[in-house]
């Protein structure tokens, strides 16, 4: 039998190309939304104020985020079950179809000058295909079951590093690509076409190239048999429901703080005093993705001398400090200083996923990670309108108030993680005594 190339077992090319495509799409959508909302608020006898434009943009993203977050619940659950049954490519491939269709709709919005509300239909299609909740949980589950527990945190962080580097270079290039003029001088066509082609490549790679050791149902049956034999001897700490609940609480609070602040940041940089254009928006997004690299270095270095829970706390404190400083930004250089403070902000999530995957059997890894991602989607239904309305209410007297709110939530997220750290340390000490 001819041996398959080891390259066919790597999911990293999908992560790389899909994030490049996502970076192109995010910048394109951000600029098109700004242009359409500005035109919609302008009339013959009235020129829209900056506040009116900001409210129109934030209202669009609020609706778009809610649709993208609400619809994936049921599809993502069934896709996760399919993945845990031995078909690990399914929860990755199906969402890529949704990505491909929704990005194609943005291309049609630009070329045919369709209303920007058409993108709400793209969000519906994207959600019904499982969305990011299914896609990223599928990637993380595949990486988790393919690595040992001792190196799982590092492998998950490496995957996020590739995700971040792709976003970094994609964001730098996206602003320049958006300004290329083709097809009746319409901006953004080249950018969105490249995004669509990259998603098409990712889908074809997953379907025809990617192989996993868990595709075969025989290996799945064998694993189930082994799991059944091991239930009686599984260490209690791997099945500790209290730790799972605490980790979920910490992850959800931190996701609300980060995602809520980043959603507002897209509108914040487009208004005075920053008032960024497409190129600066791309550079700003790139600065955010550069944090993936510094966070990976943090995991690589600190994991040698610190526990997983300590790593999580370091990352959360980093974000809390940076987003607090962001509340008082009035110039571009201050924005980058605030970003510098968040250099370890992306450490917590891969470590939390790693800890969660260690609490359950391998056959349930996909479900627990999908449940976590769906919890983020459910939380977004609350935080998106809350952050948007708070931003709109404080826009005139303190635009950075939402960033202060985000910093407070981050500090609260540290509490459940600290409890997990104390319980784990006490449990490990008890096991050492039993061993002696």
């Amino acid at each position: 039998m001819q041996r398959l190339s080891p390259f066919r077992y790597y999911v990293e090319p999908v992560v790389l190309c899909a994030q490049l495509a996502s970076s192109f799409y995010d910048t394109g959508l951000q600029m098109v939304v700004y242009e359409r909302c500005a035109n919609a608020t302008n009339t013959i006898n009235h020129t829209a104020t900056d506040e009116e434009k900001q409210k129109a943009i934030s209202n669009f993203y609020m609706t778009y985020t809610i649709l993208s977050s609400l619809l994936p619940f049921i599809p993502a659950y069934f896709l996760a079950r399919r993945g845990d049954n031995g078909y690990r490519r399914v929860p990755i491939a199906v969402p890529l179809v949704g990505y491909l269709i929704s990005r194609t709709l943005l291309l049609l919005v630009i070329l045919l000058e369709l209303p920007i509300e058409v993108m709400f239909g793209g969000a519906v299609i994207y959600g019904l295909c499982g969305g990011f909740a299914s896609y990223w949980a599928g990637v993380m589950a595949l990486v988790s079951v393919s690595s040992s527990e001792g190196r799982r945190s590092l492998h998950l962080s490496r995957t996020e590093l590739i995700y971040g580097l792709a976003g970094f270079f994609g964001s730098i290039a996206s602003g320049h690509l958006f300004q290329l003029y083709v097809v009746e001088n319409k901006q953004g066509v080249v950018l969105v076409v490249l995004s669509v082609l990259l998603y098409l490549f990712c889908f074809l790679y997953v379907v025809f190239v990617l192989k996993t050791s868990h595709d075969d149902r025989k290996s799945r049956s064998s694993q189930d048999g082994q799991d059944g034999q091991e239930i009686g001897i599984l260490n209690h700490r791997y099945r500790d429901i209290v730790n799972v609940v605490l980790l979920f609480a910490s992850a959800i609070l931190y996701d609300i703080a980060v995602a809520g602040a980043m959603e507002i940041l897209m509108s914040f940089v487009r208004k005075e005093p920053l008032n960024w254009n497409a190129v600066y928006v791309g550079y700003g997004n790139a600065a955010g993705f550069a944090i993936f690299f510094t966070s990976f270095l943090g995991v690589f270095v600190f994991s040698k001398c610190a526990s997983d829970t300590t790593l999580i706390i370091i990352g959360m404190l980093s974000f809390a400090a940076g987003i607090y400083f962001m509340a008082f930004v009035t110039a571009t250089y201050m924005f980058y200083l605030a970003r510098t403070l968040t250099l370890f902000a992306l450490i917590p999530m891969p470590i939390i996923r790693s800890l969660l995957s260690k609490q359950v059997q391998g056959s349930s890894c996909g479900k627990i990670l999908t449940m976590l991602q769906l919890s983020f989607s459910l939380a977004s239904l609350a935080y998106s309108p809350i952050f948007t309305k708070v931003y709109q209410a404080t826009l005139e007297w303190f635009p950075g108030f939402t960033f202060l709110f985000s910093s407070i939530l981050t500090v609260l997220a540290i509490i459940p993680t600290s409890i997990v750290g104390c319980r784990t340390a006490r449990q490990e000490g008890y096991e050492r005594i039993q061993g002696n």
Side-chain angles (χ1 to χ4, degrees):
M1 180 182 294
Q2 185 177 5
R3 185 177 180 182
L4 293 174
S5 170
F7 181 78
R8 301 189 68 180
Y9 289 95
Y10 293 139
V11 73
E12 282 80 1
V14 177
V15 174
L16 177 70
C17 294
Q19 185 51 34
L20 276 175
S22 180
S23 299
F24 293 164
Y25 172 78
D26 289 342
T27 299
L29 179 64
Q30 190 171 349
M31 298 309 298
V32 172
V33 168
Y34 180 82
E35 177 188 350
R36 297 297 176 85
C37 289
N39 293 337
T41 51
N42 285 325
T43 62
I44 296 177
N45 300 319
H46 174 70
T47 300
T49 64
D50 188 59
E51 182 181 354
E52 290 173 333
K53 294 177 184 178
Q54 288 293 308
K55 287 184 177 180
I57 295 170
S58 56
N59 284 334
F60 171 85
Y61 274 109
M62 179 180 68
T63 305
Y64 186 85
T65 301
I66 289 175
L67 288 174
S68 301
S69 304
L70 179 62
L71 294 174
F73 274 87
I74 296 177
Y77 175 76
F78 284 105
L79 289 173
R81 288 189 60 182
R82 191 66 173 167
D84 283 339
N85 285 334
Y87 301 93
R88 293 290 178 189
R89 293 179 297 173
V90 172
I92 302 175
V94 175
L96 287 173
V97 176
Y99 276 116
L100 185 60
I101 296 174
S102 62
R103 277 46 177 170
T104 303
L105 282 179
L106 179 59
L107 181 61
L108 296 178
V109 166
I110 297 174
L111 290 176
L112 304 179
E113 297 184 355
L114 300 175
I116 193 61
E117 287 75 16
V118 170
M119 295 310 302
F120 294 149
V124 171
I125 296 172
Y126 160 80
L128 292 177
C129 290
F132 185 77
S134 176
Y135 164 74
W136 196 240
V139 170
M140 292 289 102
L142 179 58
V143 175
S144 295
V145 299
S146 303
S147 58
S148 63
E149 289 190 0
R151 299 185 60 82
R152 187 169 298 170
S153 295
L154 190 61
H155 284 178
L156 292 176
S157 297
R158 184 187 65 187
T159 304
E160 295 226 6
L161 171 64
I162 295 171
Y163 176 93
L165 289 177
F168 174 79
F169 291 110
S171 296
I172 289 178
S174 61
H176 298 282
L177 290 172
F178 181 83
Q179 294 181 336
L180 292 180
Y181 287 83
V182 296
V183 188
E184 299 179 359
N185 293 336
K186 290 183 173 66
Q187 284 185 314
V189 173
V190 171
L191 187 67
V192 181
V193 166
L194 288 174
S195 177
V196 171
L197 291 177
L198 284 169
Y199 276 120
L200 178 61
F201 166 78
C202 291
F203 175 74
L204 295 177
Y205 180 91
V206 171
V207 173
F208 297 108
V209 179
L210 181 64
K211 298 293 181 183
T212 74
S213 58
H214 297 270
D215 280 340
D216 188 354
R217 279 176 288 182
K218 290 183 179 179
S219 68
R220 159 71 181 170
S221 301
S222 174
Q223 182 184 4
D224 285 345
Q226 293 175 358
D227 288 341
Q229 294 174 2
E230 293 173 358
I231 286 177
I233 59 174
L234 278 174
N235 196 305
H236 178 69
R237 69 184 177 92
Y238 290 104
R239 304 176 61 83
D240 194 337
I241 189 63
V242 176
N243 282 352
V244 171
V245 172
L246 289 171
L247 288 170
F248 262 71
S250 184
I252 291 170
L253 280 173
Y254 189 59
D255 181 72
I256 290 174
V258 174
M262 294 303 103
E263 185 175 323
I264 298 302
L265 193 62
M266 290 188 294
S267 300
F268 181 79
V269 299
R270 293 289 292 151
K271 65 176 288 296
E272 295 291 348
L274 298 183
N275 198 24
W276 284 359
N277 59 21
V279 174
Y280 278 102
V281 168
Y283 288 157
N285 291 339
F289 283 113
I291 299 171
F292 282 90
F293 179 69
T294 55
S295 295
F296 173 77
L297 287 180
V299 172
F300 183 77
V301 173
F302 295 143
S303 61
K304 299 177 181 179
C305 57
S307 65
D308 284 347
T309 51
T310 303
L311 289 175
I312 295 171
I313 293 173
I314 290 173
M316 289 182 176
L317 288 175
S318 174
F319 179 77
I323 205 64
Y324 178 85
F325 186 80
M326 187 69 74
F328 305 98
V329 165
T330 57
T332 297
Y333 79 92
M334 295 177 68
F335 172 90
Y336 289 109
L337 287 176
R339 276 302 200 184
T340 302
L341 290 175
T342 63
L343 75 169
F344 297 133
L346 297 176
I347 288 179
M349 285 307 178
I351 305 299
I352 289 175
R353 290 188 179 98
S354 174
L355 287 175
L356 283 172
S357 69
K358 295 174 184 178
Q359 310 295 320
V360 298
Q361 300 171 18
S363 58
S364 299
C365 184
K367 293 188 187 72
I368 195 73
L369 294 179
T370 300
M371 287 174 61
L372 178 65
Q373 208 64 45
L374 290 176
S375 299
F376 296 159
S377 298
L378 181 62
S380 70
L381 299 178
Y383 76 69
S384 184
I386 290 174
F387 270 80
T388 299
K389 296 305 179 183
V390 170
Y391 176 66
Q392 292 176 354
T394 59
L395 187 58
E396 292 184 357
W397 59 277
F398 189 15
F401 180 80
T402 51
F403 302 138
L404 291 181
F405 180 55
S406 175
S407 181
I408 294 172
L409 288 177
T410 303
V411 174
L412 293 177
I414 294 175
I415 298 174
T417 300
S418 301
I419 296 174
V420 171
C422 293
R423 296 183 80 253
T424 302
R426 185 170 63 248
Q427 215 162 28
E428 289 177 349
Y430 177 72
E431 289 169 3
R432 284 196 296 268
I433 292 174
Q434 279 190 322
N436 292 335

